[in-house]
């Protein structure tokens, strides 16, 4: 007898869990545990060939064919949940063994229905099977992690949006009354005042402007934090811009008895493409800081170009900074309570913002200082030279207070739902001798205009019933039906939103100009005069 | 140890103390991860510091938390990605115990860096069984105790698990009414 037949049923089961033992006639005498566990009707006593399908090798259809088969056998067992077995035929004396184990489909889903006993101890089918199962699970785990990360990110973004929205709303709410204070104080400054009153008014105005700057800085910071601050590059003359920006700084320096030195390395014109507004913010912030902390000596500004790089330095002969103070100078949230910021005044965010702007423009802002001697702030920016803009030189904007000779001929309408704004404008227009009517909403505005044919409208952008853009469009549509030769209505849109987008939208709707809040008497009347 | 153990520990900590406390626990343990991936291998030192930080938060000795973690692992594996493996390992407590060794051996192919324990059912009768636990690690006996208690619960078997005194290798006696 050959050794294999002397194995116990348990031992055979361990090696070939899907075995069949057949007698000479091909009747099943015993089966392995995989099969017992899966059939309700026992295989025992039934003819093997009618219980299974031999799928490999091809052409085995009778028990006689099976007995001569020497290759690898693949059989499917419809009566045992369709499992597939793989094995060989061994014939000893009167007994035939189909020595087989599970051939599992590792992509299958039904792994839970298998048991360890279904797998041979002598091969690695179980390992392969578990490996497939565990890998599948790893993928699911990775997906779950990715989903939870995405959700967390979405939540954070939503919170960020809510924060920005809140900031925008709050600053809008603050801006309106603040505009009232500043606007009316500005108008009062044009009137007759005792020197004491004038002094107090100066305080109101400068406090108001400080608050306004703080508000703007906070908004800029919020935009920077959300990566929503967009640069608006245009082509301009760098040298003229620097001179223009630092003009007021120079004036203040001279008043304080300081020397102010421009060192332009014989650069006269240098056209570049960049965001002049942000550049202005950086330079004027550095300039005013320098003046503020320098008791005697000088402020010098130098501009130097090396290839595509421009370096602008502002050097003072002030007290200088300790290493520790320098390291904290640009920190974002530290300023509010450390003494560096107290000394540097303002919102305390100026330097933080300046560095952020410089970096946003692809450059940097650095400081070097020696205690007792002074400090140097250096802005380095990549600003490749650009060809100059080919336009006729614009006439310089009028400076100082504008006193219209007469408001005659202007019949104005102010459309705004906010009573404070209405009041400020009333005071301003009064001061300039222009009579004006009011409407407290878009719809009311259009109606009043139809009735009285005003030739000037100041239209607020955000109003609950009909917004400014729609109201302007309606006015323009109605105008289109007028007799030829009628005087066209001049419309100025008034909005806190002074982005290029907002301005373009106002003009597209049919406005003749766009005024940014807060309104100042000068800018208001310059805009009005330019239309008449 | 593979990250799956840490996932179970994290889940246990969150179940007991909440998500925000978990952050503090992980910080105490000195790990930067807040989530673990099953397939990543961490040194045993990381595993131990997580378990002891959880123990700190529990306000109990580390062995107590190891025991809980063992019990929790059975529940965790039964619910999670490992539920197939758990059900394939057997339908009764004795069958499952006999397959513990094969389970770990077969998983080794997928987790080559695992240092697997070895289990052997030494004796079995109506009243219970004796399980030998061999490991390259030391100090995890209460973890095994918890695992075995968890298994009893899984198979709804009433009984006790006891470490056999001073035996080498380490033996556990599982005594039950019927399995
Ligand atoms: C699906 C279920 C399970 C899986 C996937 C699994 C997997 C593993 C792996 C990968 C390790 C090695 C850790 C490493 O070195 O990285 C391990 C360790 C261990 N497993 Fe399991 N296991 C499972 C269930 C169980 C169960 C039910 C027990 C019950 C007694 C158990 C007892 C242990 C013990 C005590 C260790 C500690 C290792 C040591 O002593 O060195 N495991 N297991």
């Amino acid at each position: 007898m050959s050794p294999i037949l002397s194995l116990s049923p348990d031992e055979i089961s361990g090696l070939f869990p899907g075995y069949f033992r057949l007698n000479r006639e091909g009747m099943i005498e015993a089966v392995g545990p995989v099969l017992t566990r899966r059939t309700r009707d026992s295989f025992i006593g039934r003819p093997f060939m009618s219980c299974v399908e031999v799928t490999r090798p091809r052409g085995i259809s009778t028990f006689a064919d099976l007995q001569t088969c020497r290759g690898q056998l693949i059989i499917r067992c419809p009566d045992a949940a369709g499992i597939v077995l793989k094995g060989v035929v061994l014939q000893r004396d009167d007994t035939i063994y189909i020595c087989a184990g599970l051939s599992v489909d590792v992509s299958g889903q039904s792994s839970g229905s298998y048991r360890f006993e279904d797998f041979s101890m002598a091969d690695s089918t179980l390992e392969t099977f578990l490996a497939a199962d565990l890998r599948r699970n790893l993928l699911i785990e990775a997906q779950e992690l990715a989903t939870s990360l995405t959700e967390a990110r979405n939540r954070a973004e939503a919170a960020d949006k809510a924060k920005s929205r809140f900031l925008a709303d709050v600053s809008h709410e603050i801006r309106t009354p603040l505009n009232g204070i500043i606007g009316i104080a500005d108008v009062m400054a044009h009137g007759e005042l005792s020197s004491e009153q004038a002094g107090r008014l100066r305080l109101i105005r400068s406090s108001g402007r400080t608050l306004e700057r703080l508000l703007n800085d906070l908004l800029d910071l919020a935009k920077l934090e959300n990566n929503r601050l967009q640069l608006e590059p245009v082509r301009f003359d760098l040298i003229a811009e620097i001179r223009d920006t630092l003009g007021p700084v120079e004036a203040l320096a001279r008043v304080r008895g300081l020397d102010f030195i421009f060192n332009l390395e014989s650069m006269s014109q240098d056209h570049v493409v960049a965001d002049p507004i942000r550049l202005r913010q950086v330079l004027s912030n550095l300039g005013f800081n320098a003046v503020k902390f320098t008791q005697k000596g000088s402020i010098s500004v130098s501009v130097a170009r090396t290839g595509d790089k421009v370096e602008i330095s502002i050097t003072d002969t002030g007290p200088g900074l300790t290493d520790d103070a320098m390291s904290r100078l640009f920190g974002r949230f530290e300023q509010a309570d450390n003494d560096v910021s107290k000394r540097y005044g303002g919102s305390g965010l100026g330097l933080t913002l300046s560095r952020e702007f410089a970096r946003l423009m692809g450059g940097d802002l650095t400081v070097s200082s020696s205690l007792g001697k002074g400090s140097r702030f250096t802005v380095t920016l990549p600003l490749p030279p650009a060809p100059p803009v080919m336009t006729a030189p614009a006439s310089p904007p009028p400076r100082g207070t504008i006193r219209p000779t007469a408001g005659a001929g202007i019949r104005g309408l102010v459309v705004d739902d906010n009573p404070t704004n209405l009041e400020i404008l009333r005071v301003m227009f009064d001061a300039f001798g222009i009579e004006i009517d009011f409407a407290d909403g878009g719809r009311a505005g259009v109606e009043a205009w139809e009735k009285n044919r005003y030739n000037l409208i100041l239209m607020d952008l955000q109003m609950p019933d009909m917004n400014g853009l729609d109201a302007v469009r309606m006015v323009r549509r109605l105008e289109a039906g007028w007799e030829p030769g009628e005087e066209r209505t001049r419309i100025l849109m008034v909005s806190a939103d002074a982005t290029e987008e907002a301005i373009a939208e106002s003009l597209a709707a049919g406005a003749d100009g766009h005024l940014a809040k807060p309104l100042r008497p000068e800018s208001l009347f310059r805009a009005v005069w330019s239309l008449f | 140890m593979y990250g799956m153990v840490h996932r179970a520990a994290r889940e246990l900590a969150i179940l007991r103390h909440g998500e925000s406390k978990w952050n503090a626990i992980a910080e105490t343990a000195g790990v930067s991860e807040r989530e673990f991936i099953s397939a990543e291998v961490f040194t045993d030192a990381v595993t131990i510091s997580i378990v002891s930080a959880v123990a700190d938060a529990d306000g109990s000795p580390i062995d107590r938390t190891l025991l809980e973690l063992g019990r929790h692992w059975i529940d965790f594996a039964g619910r999670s990605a490992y539920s197939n493996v758990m059900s394939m390992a057997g339908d009764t407590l004795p069958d499952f115990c006999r397959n513990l060794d094969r389970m770990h051996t077969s998983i080794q192919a997928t987790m080559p860096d695992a240092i697997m324990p070895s289990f052997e059912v030494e004796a079995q009768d109506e009243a219970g069984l004796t399980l030998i636990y061999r490991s390259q690690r030391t100090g995890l006996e209460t973890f095994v105790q918890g695992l075995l208690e968890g298994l009893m619960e899984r198979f709804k078997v009433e009984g006790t698990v006891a470490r056999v005194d001073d035996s080498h290798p380490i033996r556990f006696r599982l005594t039950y009414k019927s399995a």
Side-chain angles (χ1 to χ4, degrees):
Chain A
M1 203 180 251
S2 65
I4 186 140
L5 298 182
S6 64
L7 292 175
S8 73
D10 269 359
E11 287 164 334
I12 296 180
S13 294
L15 292 174
F16 309 112
Y19 83 91
F20 288 87
R21 198 180 80 213
L22 316 178
N23 68 14
R24 213 178 3 187
E25 279 77 44
M27 296 297 179
I28 300 170
E29 289 181 344
V31 295
V34 181
L35 294 153
T36 343
R37 226 169 44 76
R38 269 163 220 277
T39 41
R40 253 186 294 126
D41 307 321
S42 171
F43 281 103
I44 311 300
R46 294 165 63 195
F48 176 74
M49 291 306 286
S50 67
C51 293
V52 303
E53 290 165 14
V54 179
T55 56
R56 291 260 157 185
R58 293 267 161 80
I60 306 245
S61 49
T62 64
F63 180 52
D65 294 339
L66 184 77
Q67 282 173 292
T68 61
C69 172
R70 289 294 166 265
Q72 196 181 46
L73 203 64
I74 307 244
I75 49 186
R76 217 175 73 81
C77 311
D79 292 347
I83 58 166
V84 177
L85 301 171
K86 191 164 80 175
V88 291
V89 183
L90 291 182
Q91 186 162 9
R92 291 295 179 272
D93 307 328
D94 285 346
T95 308
I96 294 152
Y97 274 89
I98 313 292
C99 299
L102 265 179
S103 165
V104 286
D105 171 10
V106 290
S107 68
Q109 323 279 309
S110 58
S111 52
S113 66
Y114 290 112
R115 293 293 174 268
F116 282 14
E117 289 75 16
D118 294 346
F119 297 85
S120 170
M121 305 253 244
D123 66 25
S124 51
T125 325
L126 177 60
E127 275 82 347
T128 314
F129 186 80
L130 289 185
D133 195 58
L134 292 172
R135 291 224 175 88
R136 223 179 358 258
N137 290 327
L138 270 182
L139 274 180
I140 295 171
E141 190 184 305
Q143 270 164 357
E144 281 171 4
L145 264 181
T147 313
S148 80
L149 280 178
T150 312
E151 277 169 8
R153 200 191 53 210
N154 289 348
R155 271 199 303 278
E157 276 175 5
D160 249 11
K161 277 211 186 93
K163 193 177 94 182
S164 312
R165 180 81 243 149
F166 174 76
L167 247 165
D169 287 350
V170 167
S171 65
H172 185 77
E173 294 300 317
I174 296 175
R175 211 181 271 282
T176 308
L178 187 61
N179 289 345
I181 296 169
I182 298 176
I184 291 182
D186 281 351
V187 172
M188 283 168 72
H190 293 290
E192 296 287 311
L193 298 168
S194 72
S195 72
E196 193 186 359
Q197 283 171 327
R200 287 178 185 163
L201 192 64
R202 242 195 323 279
L203 200 63
I204 295 179
R205 291 175 77 194
S206 75
S207 307
R209 290 198 202 287
T210 306
L211 264 181
E212 194 184 8
R213 252 200 319 278
L214 172 63
L215 197 63
N216 289 338
D217 281 358
L218 280 174
L219 274 177
D220 279 346
L221 190 70
K223 280 193 204 148
L224 276 170
E225 278 192 339
N226 294 331
N227 294 324
R228 288 194 15 230
L229 198 125
Q230 299 239 318
L231 293 176
E232 301 192 6
V234 295
R235 199 174 342 179
F236 62 91
D237 178 4
L238 180 67
I239 301 302
E241 188 70 25
I242 295 174
R243 277 194 186 284
D244 207 37
T245 305
L246 295 177
V249 178
E250 180 176 6
L252 185 65
R254 298 209 186 283
V255 168
R256 296 262 182 100
L258 301 170
D259 288 335
F260 193 93
I261 307 150
F262 258 118
N263 185 354
L264 298 181
E265 284 190 359
S266 70
M267 291 161 83
S268 54
Q269 264 199 345
D270 191 344
H271 283 88
V272 295
V273 174
D275 186 333
I277 298 183
R278 298 309 177 186
L279 181 66
R280 247 173 199 277
Q281 251 175 296
V282 174
L283 294 181
S284 93
N285 180 39
L286 295 178
F288 280 116
N289 266 352
V291 174
K292 193 164 175 183
F293 296 109
T294 307
Q295 306 296 330
K296 60 179 198 303
S298 65
I299 311 290
S300 52
V301 178
S302 73
V303 184
R305 170 181 283 288
T306 337
D308 285 350
K309 231 169 65 183
V310 172
E311 211 177 80
I312 309 166
S313 308
I314 299 186
T315 312
D316 63 49
T317 54
L321 293 155
T322 61
D323 285 350
D324 183 43
M326 266 195 286
S327 70
R328 283 182 297 154
L329 208 52
F330 299 104
R332 194 169 281 190
F333 296 108
E334 284 178 11
Q335 299 89 336
D337 55 20
N338 76 34
D339 61 287
V340 177
S341 79
K342 278 190 199 121
R343 292 197 304 125
Y344 270 72
S347 65
L349 293 171
L351 284 175
T352 311
L353 286 174
S354 295
R355 172 174 272 188
E356 295 285 334
F357 290 150
R359 289 184 174 171
L360 206 61
M361 291 191 260
D364 206 354
L365 167 60
T366 52
V367 59
S368 62
S369 182
S370 83
L371 212 54
K373 293 203 175 126
S375 310
R376 167 179 298 166
F377 287 84
T378 306
V379 191
T380 319
L381 296 173
L383 292 174
V389 205
M390 293 310 229
T391 49
S395 56
R399 295 207 177 269
T401 314
I402 294 177
R403 275 260 175 215
T405 42
I410 298 182
R411 299 181 313 282
L413 174 70
V414 174
V415 185
D416 198 320
D417 62 317
N418 183 306
T420 314
N421 288 343
L422 290 178
E423 183 57 18
I424 301 166
L425 284 162
R426 190 185 62 73
V427 176
M428 285 190 187
F429 277 100
D430 265 5
F432 292 92
I434 300 175
E435 275 193 28
I436 208 126
D437 284 345
F438 297 100
D440 63 1
R443 216 174 291 284
V446 176
E447 278 166 18
W449 166 81
E450 269 195 289
K451 203 157 79 201
N452 299 321
R453 291 284 168 105
Y454 301 100
N455 58 6
L456 171 69
I457 301 180
L458 258 68
M459 183 74 79
D460 185 38
L461 184 69
Q462 281 171 318
M463 288 177 294
D465 69 329
M466 177 190 273
N467 74 37
L469 292 171
D470 287 339
V472 172
R473 286 190 197 103
M474 185 166 269
V475 167
R476 293 299 182 219
R477 259 201 310 279
L478 291 166
E479 262 183 353
W482 286 0
E483 299 285 307
E486 291 243 22
E487 190 186 0
R488 186 174 174 279
T489 315
R490 280 77 151 185
I491 307 180
L492 287 170
M493 191 67 86
V494 182
S495 157
D497 188 354
T499 57
E500 258 178 28
E501 255 175 300
I503 295 171
E505 216 178 1
S506 300
L507 298 184
D512 298 298
H514 182 106
L515 279 171
K517 283 184 190 173
L519 288 179
R520 299 277 174 271
E522 284 82 2
S523 52
L524 171 63
F525 290 105
R526 209 171 293 144
V528 170
W529 281 175
S530 72
L531 297 178
F532 286 90
Chain B
M1 286 221 208
Y2 273 93
M4 55 188 200
V5 180
H6 312 79
R7 282 173 77 83
R10 170 181 183 271
E11 195 188 80
L12 180 68
I14 290 177
L15 271 175
R16 294 175 162 217
H17 303 289
E19 185 96 36
S20 55
K21 183 76 195 216
W22 161 244
N23 286 329
I25 292 174
E27 211 153 282
T28 312
V31 296
S32 56
E33 287 84 356
R34 293 296 175 266
E35 306 247 18
F36 299 95
I37 296 174
S38 295
E40 197 180 343
V41 181
F42 299 87
T43 61
D44 282 10
V46 170
T47 319
I48 295 300
S49 52
I50 291 175
V51 176
S52 46
V54 177
D56 274 358
D58 288 350
S60 47
I62 190 160
D63 271 342
R64 178 78 220 165
T65 300
L66 269 176
L67 185 99
E68 303 282 352
L69 183 61
R71 299 178 71 119
H72 183 69
W73 169 259
I74 301 300
D75 178 48
F76 174 84
R79 270 185 290 113
S80 70
Y82 305 104
S83 62
N84 278 339
V85 183
M86 290 293 280
S87 40
M88 285 173 71
D91 298 316
T92 66
L93 180 62
D95 278 357
F96 195 100
C97 288
R98 267 195 309 273
N99 275 331
L100 267 175
D101 204 55
R102 197 173 175 194
M103 173 197 256
H104 285 91
T105 313
S106 307
I107 291 170
Q108 180 93 58
T110 320
M111 305 185 142
D113 296 321
I115 305 166
M116 291 296 191
S118 168
F119 294 96
E120 183 191 337
V121 174
E122 189 183 37
Q124 187 197 337
D125 55 39
E126 283 289 290
L129 60 81
T130 306
L131 186 71
I132 299 180
Y133 159 65
R134 294 185 177 90
S135 168
Q136 290 187 29
R137 300 185 171 93
T138 52
L140 292 181
E141 294 77 12
T142 43
F143 178 56
V144 181
Q145 167 96 23
L147 284 162
L148 297 174
E149 287 178 13
L151 283 179
M152 281 206 160
E153 205 170 301
R154 176 181 167 92
F155 292 107
K156 306 202 166 31
V157 170
E158 273 181 49
T160 55
V161 178
R163 165 98 193 265
V164 177
D165 285 343
D166 295 330
S167 76
H168 292 284
I170 297 166
R171 287 178 174 77
F172 288 90
R173 177 69 196 165
L174 280 67
T175 315
Y176 36 75
K177 286 188 189 134
S178 65

